[in-house]
Amino acid sequence: GSQELLWYGVAGRSTSTSAVVELGGLPDDTELDAYCTAHDYASSSSDSEVDNYVGDAAVASTKRDIHTVYDLTPPSLMGTEPPNHGNAACLPDGVALGCMTT
C-alpha cells in the first residue's frame, strides 16, 4: 500500500528563480514522490479574499522521485547506570522477576 506523507520545507527568499529546500525527519530507506507548490498572500490585501495557488498541472510537473538513505551509523553507548560491575539498590517487588531500582 501507499502512504501519504505531507511535509513542509522552507526556502529563503532570493532574487533568483531557484531555491534549495531541505526536508528533515523523513523515514529511512523509503521511496517518496516529492512535489513543489506555492501560493501568494493575496488575501492579506483588502481587495482579495483568497490566496492564489499554483495550478494542478504545474504542481504535477515538479514531481521528483526520492529515495532516502538507510542510517548506517551504529548506535554508541554513552554510559550505564550503575557503572559496569557496580551495584544497584532494589526495592522489594514481591514475586515479580527482576529488580525495581531506587
Side-chain angles (χ1 to χ4, degrees), residues 5-95:
L5 178 67
L6 300 177
W7 216 271
Y8 292 103
V10 177
R13 295 177 69 178
S14 73
T15 56
S16 72
T17 59
S18 64
V20 174
V21 177
E22 293 185 17
L23 301 174
L26 297 173
D28 292 340
D29 198 24
T30 304
E31 299 289 335
L32 301 166
D33 294 335
Y35 298 87
C36 182
T37 186
H39 70 92
D40 62 18
Y41 292 104
S43 64
S44 64
S45 68
S46 60
D47 59 345
S48 179
E49 295 181 10
V50 295
D51 295 337
N52 296 305
Y53 283 81
V54 175
D56 293 343
V59 172
S61 72
T62 67
K63 179 184 176 203
R64 298 293 181 266
D65 296 323
I66 297 174
H67 179 95
T68 59
V69 295
Y70 186 75
D71 180 8
L72 298 176
T73 306
S76 61
L77 180 62
M78 303 304 288
T80 62
E81 188 61 38
N84 194 22
H85 299 293
N87 296 316
C90 294
L91 296 172
D93 57 3
V95 296

